[in-house]
Amino acid sequence: MVPAITALVADDDKATAKLVEVLLNKWGIQTVVAHDGLEALEVMMQPAPPSLLLFDWEMPGYSGIELCEKIRQIDTTNPPYIIICTARDATEYIVHGLNQGANDYVSKPFNTQVLKARVEVGMRTLELQSRLVDAMVRLDHLASFDELTGLLNRRALFERIHEDFSRAHRAKDNLCFVVCDIDWFKRINDKYGHPAGDAVLRQLGDLLTQQLRPYDRLGRIGGEEFLLLFSVTTIDSAVKVLDRIKLAIEKHDFVYEDTHITATMSFGATFIEAGEQIARVESYFKRADEALYRSKELGRNCVTFSDNLV
Ligand SMILES: [Mg+2]
């Protein structure tokens, strides 16, 4: 939904400011008034500032043009639409105003119909911009998160893990890189149906999230396969963490409608020692995945480390 647009009218001439405010209100636009440039800038520094700005050119504090420059420096995904209202309607002034970041200008004294048409152009532009920003946010979310579990998807996860590696390297943290997979997931789907399988995946995502710390990494990297990355002091403590998670899954009552489902997971882990030359994410993935394969061979519902330390 497009949020309601609020306007800011800045004019040191109180009668003009009032007139514009009354007109905007009449056109259904909520309006804030400022009587000099400083006051206007203060309004713009507040959270959720107005998005349609009508600035007088000459004002104490900052001129409308100086305000344009300052406001254009604010980093925002939703820049405001600025109309300069001025008696200076010579070409060089208009060009200067637009070059400084104004979207449009209106000559003073106002022709009400022209002002209304210009304001409407601004409103349409702001609405379009707001829809585009929403669409971008949605696309960004879809591109990074798995729709079913809400966890990071493989691509986004690998990108973040790459950053985690650099951070851990600087902080001299040991890391445990884990690939885990639901045992006999096909049997769950075959026995209870795919919606039940999806419910297990969703609940498992929640369960894994609860088992980890907020700053640990977790994502779904494929059908029934998840990836975990957490910092840990020793291999022994990593084993304890994974055993605890394995047990929590084994004991968990997965529920779909009236059906109670049990599931277990196999884990393949690799330990990354602080200070070791960090390789590509893919190479740790390969190591952990090979360990996972051994967990499957060993009868599932178990944890295996890549170098057979456990
Ligand atoms: Mg003035």
Side-chain angles (χ1 to χ4, degrees), residues 11-13 56 58-59 108:
D11 200 313
D12 59 333
D13 183 292
D56 180 25
E58 278 162 277
M59 284 185 290
K108 279 191 192 176

Side-chain angles (χ1 to χ4, degrees), residues 208-225:
L208 288 171
T209 305
Q210 287 160 21
Q211 291 292 320
L212 294 168
R213 299 162 297 186
Y215 46 88
D216 294 333
R217 248 345 139 193
L218 167 65
R220 181 181 174 210
I221 51 171
E224 66 266 34
E225 209 169 41

